[in-house]
Amino acid sequence: MKLISWNVNGLRACLEKGFREFLTSESPDILALQETKLQPEQVTYVPEGYHTYYFSAQKKGYSGTAVFTKCEPDRVVFGLGDDRFDSEGRTITLFYPGFTFVTAYVPNAQDGLKRIEYRTAFEDAMRAYLVSLSKDGPVIYCGDLNVAHQEIDLKNPGPNRGSAGFSDEERGLFSDLLSSGFSDTFRVKYPDLAGAYSWWSYRFHAREHNAGWRIDYFLVRSSDEARIVDALIYKDVTGSDHCPVGLLWEGTWN
């Protein structure tokens, strides 16, 4: 199976920057999107051959997630059951007989870590949710997780230490998630590969110089690591300040 996740930084804008062509050429079994920035009445894109699920934030032009899947799931759950997070449209879960698929747009801690308490509460709730799901079978968790876990995961770790996305608090939360029984699929396949990033600032020609961060992930249960065929970063795909990331997975819908 081919699974792809992409923070599109506004789906309507990304549709005009090669999104359709990417979807057609890659034809993933599941495509998860973050930061769609769509209100329900603005959802007009339904790609042929896919079941589509959108989850919007109450605030206009903000956050939001979506999942396109070739196979209709048994059940879809929007959110975590907590309005603090669900009002921002951050999480969608698809249940299949063979696995559970979760995508999330993890909150940004923002400058000065002014939203770190909210971020921590979300991470704690998400970790508990994923651990609970994992008791019933394989779980695939993907999205813009808004953290570079290790120094190898960003170009300039020194000057960015302590800033949003590379603070001790956020990195520790990611470590806690891994310790609870999950694996970063990219580092399973490429433990020492540097220069592999999924987000670049629009400033200072960052993408041109590959001065980026790897903050978009696929995680699976550590007990399912053997089913990871490959982990992908589509670094040459533009259309957003993030590029898509992918997982080739040895598994079936059932």
Side-chain angles (χ1 to χ4, degrees):
M1 301 182 73
K2 181 190 291 184
L3 314 172
I4 294 177
S5 176
W6 192 3
N7 179 319
V8 291
N9 192 19
L11 180 57
R12 287 178 296 173
C14 196
L15 284 169
E16 306 304 318
K17 300 176 183 178
F19 180 92
R20 294 179 177 87
E21 293 78 4
F22 175 76
L23 180 59
T24 298
S25 64
E26 289 299 321
S27 189
D29 295 290
I30 301 178
L31 173 62
L33 306 178
Q34 302 86 42
E35 209 170 357
T36 53
K37 299 182 180 180
L38 291 173
Q39 293 301 111
E41 65 273 13
Q42 296 173 316
V43 173
T44 59
Y45 180 63
V46 180
E48 185 178 354
Y50 286 91
H51 303 273
T52 59
Y53 305 95
Y54 288 89
F55 190 30
S56 301
Q58 292 178 5
K59 180 180 177 180
K60 291 183 178 180
Y62 180 73
S63 189
T65 47
V67 180
F68 305 159
T69 174
K70 290 182 176 179
C71 181
E72 185 175 8
D74 291 344
R75 184 162 61 102
V76 179
V77 172
F78 299 93
L80 295 173
D82 187 327
D83 192 60
R84 289 178 299 168
F85 316 125
D86 299 349
S87 63
E88 297 189 355
R90 292 193 174 274
T91 309
I92 303 175
T93 305
L94 277 58
F95 292 87
Y96 296 98
F99 62 94
T100 301
F101 182 90
V102 184
T103 192
Y105 177 36
V106 172
N108 191 308
Q110 299 185 354
D111 291 344
L113 303 184
K114 62 184 179 182
R115 219 181 185 205
I116 191 65
E117 291 185 6
Y118 179 84
R119 164 71 178 262
T120 299
F122 178 91
E123 294 260 29
D124 289 344
M126 176 58 74
R127 183 174 63 257
Y129 180 63
L130 293 171
V131 168
S132 177
L133 292 175
S134 71
K135 296 175 182 177
D136 296 324
V139 173
I140 299 170
Y141 175 48
C142 72
D144 175 1
L145 306 191
N146 253 321
V147 60
H149 184 220
Q150 303 291 348
E151 290 190 356
I152 195 175
D153 294 316
L154 71 166
K155 178 69 172 181
N156 297 304
N160 286 293
R161 190 174 306 280
S163 62
F166 197 59
S167 67
D168 290 343
E169 295 93 328
E170 293 162 297
R171 296 169 68 193
L173 288 165
F174 192 88
S175 293
D176 290 345
L177 179 55
L178 298 184
S179 296
S180 69
F182 289 87
S183 295
D184 173 355
T185 60
F186 188 81
R187 287 300 170 210
V188 170
K189 300 300 290 186
Y190 306 102
D192 303 313
L193 181 61
Y197 308 128
S198 64
W199 175 80
W200 302 262
S201 170
Y202 282 131
R203 298 180 297 172
F204 311 121
H205 303 283
R207 192 158 189 170
E208 178 183 338
H209 299 297
N210 198 30
W213 300 46
R214 189 175 71 92
I215 60 175
D216 301 87
Y217 296 82
F218 271 91
L219 273 61
V220 300
R221 294 189 311 180
S222 299
S223 57
D224 295 321
E225 281 186 11
R227 301 175 70 174
I228 303 168
V229 178
D230 201 3
L232 312 170
I233 296 181
Y234 297 87
K235 63 182 179 63
D236 296 323
V237 175
T238 56
S240 169
D241 51 349
H242 295 248
C243 74
V245 298
L247 171 65
L248 299 185
W249 172 253
E250 189 178 277
T252 65
W253 304 108
N254 295 315

